[in-house]
């Protein structure tokens, strides 16, 4: 059966939904029906019960009982079902009374149209018309002249003269005029045409005339196989019909988040349920439902290979948890046992526990000794604390980077990620000459050699204290590569753009070369990590015939997609825009429309956070999900803040089902969809981070793009002081306003996240930066951007000891070295710096910097 939606249906559905309670349940039933139709189910009306009483006011009318004594009114004939309206029992009766005699037909353009017969409900003793044209002039002039001439030639001349004198207030004269027409069909037609002209419905009048004249054929006389096209009033329901976006939006607004995540368009089904004679790759733009395809494909493969195991893997822990929940919802218990869903970290952990049973505690991201997080351990190692000076081998590189305004601590950690993703330990000598794709700061062979030494020290540090990061665990497992045996029939990798060659090689070993062995799913535009990726070098033979691309967005509104597309496109380097591996979605592929994204300003970050919580708690409906993502903070920093204010965070430890509002950094939002998405702290000097090379800002831009495209219905971008340059010239795509205009009542604030401490509060560490040596101070973020000369001065002459030149009895004695930075600044401020051979320019630079940061 083919299904069509009448223009009355959606307004009546929305009105019913707004009433809440049982009426909302009735609306949900119709929402579910619409989505069963758009998904192409064979019998979408199954489960709905027809009313006991028949319906005679409209021919072939069938009504269905819904929750709350509500009704769905349809017309069904010749293999076609027209969905007309939905309402409570009284609303449905009133609607049927008003449209008594309504019929449907096909015009000469092949369009399905409706025809009203107001004569069926007109009271001849009191022919009052509710809606009136209220214009002067003869009514017959309102209708198409040729059509009117053809119609009126069938009537007696006396009748035609009387009709042509009628105005919009002459319904009684109309009934008197047509009473003498002997042909009942013509009499009813003339009555219907002129009553609709009185009501101002010229189109309805013309359609009624066309039905009588044979220009419109009644639906009952149309061949079931005849092609019918949409009209203004009746539109085909289907995945490719113009009204599909309306139903998709309704589903987005009302569907459970799991149902929404699992919704599939036929284009997606074609990929999910295909067979490939080897590794296959799917490139999907943001919002194309890649994760849904991965879930459905896992179920398909588990049915195809019922005696073997399927593995779904991703790097993102929260996403792995979500996929696990979705697989559980769709699968049968016996089938669920055959499908494993894991973050790649856990896959490696399990194998290392097998290969190195005595080293179980070495492969955790929280140290079992002290409870410290890997981020804190990295800072401790890099800054040479606790008498571990292995990282000092990289001091010259550190000084070079901070003199260029680059956060060396962050950049070198990312460089370590790149090295480990590209090369196993046995091949790291290749790093001395390999091209560092995606890295823009030139490094000569001597510098690379120093970095390899620093990496070796970092790996030793992790082993010594029993903590690891996910690349260290991949590297450790890679040393057992030859011992890894195929454990799965098929492996599906979601968000594959963030995998490196080391991970791909391990995945390749876990599955035999076979049909449907590897399914690699990703999007280059969402690449947020620093990784080396060459599939061929990882022994994955990906033939072009097994590559698929999905370029339609089913998850975001057109307005959200246009805004995200503009921000991404306007800020990407030209070489990435022209790359064959970097797909950016044309906004024309968006599937539905929604609210325009907004950029809101607050006085500070604390008020941004408070405003976001206040707005969401006011605006969100029951069952909806929202995420507040904080730019400029690490996941660890967000976790600590979330714990303090008792809000769940996207970190893989919390399911979406139990909560409504979540906190996250930008990166962890990947793969999710939220009704509301608030991205805070999008301020100048926060994103893009000025301490990251401008040529590598694309990764931060990618994280922002990922977060923006997580929004289904509403996207809010927030800043304080001054917005990020990434939103320059975005006025066309965002509505800009103040948070204060969106918040009612007194604002409740929660503070702001703490940044990872510059130094750990320990007895062996100075409590103030002024008590630090030059070497210690140069690890602080305050020192990024110091001139090379000032860096050299601090490193060489603020040594923790101090030195005064000249003999004790001499009248000319100069301090040439200082114990602390504070002592140097004190001398600069109280004495002539020239006396101590400190250049005036360096003195000013140091004092201005410390005053800027309030030191």
């Amino acid at each position: 059966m083919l299904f069509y939606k009448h223009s009355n249906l959606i307004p009546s559905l929305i009105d019913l939904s707004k009433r809440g309670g049982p009426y909302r349940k009735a609306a949900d039933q119709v929402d579910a029906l619409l989505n069963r139709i758009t998904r192409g189910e064979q019998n979408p009306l199954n489960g709905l019960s027809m009313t006991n009483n028949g319906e005679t006011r409209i021919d072939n009318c069938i009504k269905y009982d819904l929750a709350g004594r509500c009704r769905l009114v349809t017309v069904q004939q010749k293999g076609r079902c027209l969905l007309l309206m939905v309402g409570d029992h009284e609303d449905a009766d009133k609607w049927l009374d008003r449209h008594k005699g309504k019929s449907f037909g096909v015009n000469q353009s092949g369009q399905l149209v409706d025809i009203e017969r107001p004569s069926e409900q007109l009271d001849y003793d009191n022919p009052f018309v509710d809606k009136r044209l209220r214009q002067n002039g003869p009514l017959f002039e309102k209708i198409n002249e040729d059509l009117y001439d053809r119609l009126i030639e069938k009537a007696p001349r006396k009748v035609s003269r009387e009709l042509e004198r009628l105005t919009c207030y002459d319904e009684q004269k109309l009934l008197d005029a047509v009473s003498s027409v002997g042909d009942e069909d013509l009499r009813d037609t003339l009555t219907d045409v002129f009553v609709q002209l009185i009501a101002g419905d010229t189109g309805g009048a013309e359609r009624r005339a066309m039905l009588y004249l044979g220009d419109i054929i009644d639906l009952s006389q149309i061949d079931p196989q005849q092609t019918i096209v949409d009209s203004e009033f009746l539109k085909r329901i289907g995945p490719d019909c113009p009204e599909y976006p309306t139903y998709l939006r309704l589903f987005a607004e009302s569907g459970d988040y799991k149902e929404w995540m699992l919704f599939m368009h036929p284009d997606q089904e074609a990929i999910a349920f295909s067979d490939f004679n080897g590794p296959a790759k799917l490139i999907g733009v943001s919002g194309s439902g890649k994760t849904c395809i991965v879930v459905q494909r896992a179920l398909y493969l588990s049915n195809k290979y019922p005696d073997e195991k399927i593995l779904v893997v991703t790097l993102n822990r929260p996403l792995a948890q979500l996929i696990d929940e979705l697989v559980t919802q769709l699968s049968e218990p016996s089938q669920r046992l055959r499908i494993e869903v894991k973050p790649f970290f856990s896959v490696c952990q399990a194998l290392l526990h097998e290969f190195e049973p005595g080293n179980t505690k070495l492969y955790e991201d929280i140290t079992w000794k002290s409870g410290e997080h890997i981020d804190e351990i990295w800072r401790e190692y890099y800054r040479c604390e606790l008498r571990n000076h292995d990282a000092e081998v990289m001091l010259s590189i550190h000084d070079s980077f901070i003199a260029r305004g680059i956060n060396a601590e962050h950049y070198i950690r990312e460089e370590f990620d790149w090295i480990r993703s590209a090369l196993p330990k046995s091949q790291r000598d290749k790093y001395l000459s390999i091209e560092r794709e995606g890295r823009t700061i030139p490094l000569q062979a001597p510098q690379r050699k120093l970095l390899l030494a620093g990496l070796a020290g970092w790996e030793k540090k992790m082993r010594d204290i029993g903590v690891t990061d996910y690349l260290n665990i991949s590297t450790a497992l890679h040393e057992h590569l030859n011992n890894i045996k195929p454990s799965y029939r098929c492996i599906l990798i979601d968000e594959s753009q963030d995998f490196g060659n080391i991970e791909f090689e391990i995945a390749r070993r876990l599955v035999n070369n076979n049909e449907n062995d590897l399914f690699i799913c990703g999007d280059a535009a969402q690449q947020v990590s620093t990784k080396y990726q060459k599939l061929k070098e990882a022994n994955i033979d990906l033939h072009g015939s097994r590559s698929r691309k999905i370029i339609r967005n089913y998850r975001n509104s057109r307005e959200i997609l246009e805004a995200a597309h503009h921000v991404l496109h306007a800020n990407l380097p030209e070489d990435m825009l022209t790359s064959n591996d970097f797909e950016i979605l044309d906004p024309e592929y968006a599937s539905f429309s929604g609210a325009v994204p907004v950029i809101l300003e607050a006085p500070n970050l604390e008020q941004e956070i408070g405003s976001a919580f206040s707005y969401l708690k006011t605006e969100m409906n029951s069952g909806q999900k929202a995420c507040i993502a904080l730019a400029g903070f690490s996941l660890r920093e967000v976790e600590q803040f979330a714990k303090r204010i008792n809000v769940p965070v996207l970190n893989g430890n919390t399911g979406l089902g139990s909560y409504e509002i979540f906190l996250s950094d930008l990166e962890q939002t990947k793969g999710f969809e939220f009704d509301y998405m608030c991205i805070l702290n999008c301020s100048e000097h926060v994103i893009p981070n000025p301490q990251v090379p401008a040529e590598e800002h694309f990764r931060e831009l990618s994280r922002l793009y990922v977060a923006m495209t997580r929004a289904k219905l509403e996207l809010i971008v927030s800043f304080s002081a001054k917005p990020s340059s990434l939103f320059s010239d975005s006025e066309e795509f965002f509505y800009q306003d103040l948070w204060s205009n969106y918040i009612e009542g007194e604002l409740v604030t929660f503070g702001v996240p703490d940044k990872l401490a510059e130094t750990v509060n320990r007895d062996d560490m100075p409590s103030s930066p002024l008590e630090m040596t030059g070497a210690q101070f140069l690890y602080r973020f305050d020192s990024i951007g110091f001139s090379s000369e000032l860096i050299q001065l601090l490193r060489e002459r603020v040594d923790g000891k101090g030195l005064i030149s000249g003999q004790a009895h001499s009248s000319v004695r100069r301090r040439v070295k200082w114990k602390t930075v504070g002592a140097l600044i004190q001398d600069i401020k109280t004495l002539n710096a020239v006396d101590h051979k400190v250049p005036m320019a360096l003195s000013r630079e140091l004092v201005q910097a410390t005053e800027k940061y309030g030191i």
Side-chain angles (χ1 to χ4, degrees), residues 597-616:
V598 295
I599 296 179
L600 301 180
E601 179 183 358
N604 51 55
L605 177 58
E606 182 176 25
Q607 292 198 30
E608 287 185 60
I609 295 171
S611 297
F613 276 107
S614 177
Y615 177 77
L616 292 173

Side-chain angles (χ1 to χ4, degrees), residues 9-10 12-13 16 23-37 48 64-66 70-73 83 85-87 237 247 250 254:
L9 182 69
I10 298 303
S12 65
L13 181 60
L16 195 65
Y23 304 106
R24 177 61 182 267
K25 291 180 180 178
D28 289 344
Q29 287 180 275
V30 179
D31 279 340
L33 169 64
L34 293 174
N35 285 285
R36 289 196 295 272
I37 296 170
L48 295 182
Y64 290 90
D65 284 322
L66 303 173
C70 294
R71 303 286 185 270
L72 170 65
V73 180
L83 308 178
M85 68 85 63
V86 61
I237 304 173
Y247 307 132
L250 278 171
S254 62

Side-chain angles (χ1 to χ4, degrees), residues 348 352 420 423-427 472-484 501-503 505-506:
C348 295
L352 281 168
R420 291 180 294 166
L423 301 164
K425 286 184 178 181
S426 61
Q427 299 178 27
N472 189 58
I473 202 170
S474 302
T475 302
L477 180 58
H478 194 275
E479 294 187 28
H480 300 279
L481 193 64
N482 292 331
N483 296 325
I484 297 176
N501 267 29
I502 291 292
E503 293 101 334
E505 284 189 62
I506 293 171

Side-chain angles (χ1 to χ4, degrees), residues 395-464:
L395 286 180
S396 61
I397 302 173
H398 174 90
D399 290 352
S400 171
F401 281 177
I402 65 171
R404 301 173 65 172
I406 296 169
N407 183 335
E409 184 176 329
H410 175 78
Y411 194 87
I412 289 175
R413 190 177 184 185
E414 283 195 337
E415 188 72 13
F416 285 179
D417 287 351
W418 192 95
I419 295 169
R420 291 180 294 166
S421 72
L423 301 164
K425 286 184 178 181
S426 61
Q427 299 178 27
R428 284 188 184 167
D429 58 319
K430 294 181 180 179
Y431 174 66
L432 299 179
S433 58
I434 195 173
E435 182 182 354
R436 297 160 54 248
E437 293 185 9
R439 306 295 280 167
T440 59
I441 302 300
L443 291 172
Q444 302 305 314
Q447 293 173 301
R448 298 189 189 198
K449 191 172 182 178
L450 296 176
L451 287 171
L452 287 177
L455 174 55
W458 171 229
E459 291 172 332
K460 179 179 181 298
K461 172 78 171 182
M462 287 190 282
R463 287 195 305 273
D464 288 345

Side-chain angles (χ1 to χ4, degrees), residues 716-744:
I716 297 174
V717 174
S718 172
F719 73 95
S720 52
K722 188 174 181 180
S724 164
S725 60
L726 297 177
F727 296 95
S728 299
D729 304 319
S730 295
E731 295 85 356
E732 180 182 350
F733 304 95
F734 292 88
Y735 177 74
Q736 300 189 27
D737 206 338
L738 301 175
W739 264 117
S740 57
N741 293 330
Y742 281 65
I743 305 302
E744 296 181 3

Side-chain angles (χ1 to χ4, degrees), residues 574-589:
E574 183 63 30
D575 58 338
M576 297 196 71
L577 288 171
T578 56
S579 169
N580 291 330
D581 294 327
F582 204 90
E583 291 282 348
I584 302 177
L585 179 63
D586 187 328
E588 290 302 314
Y589 286 108

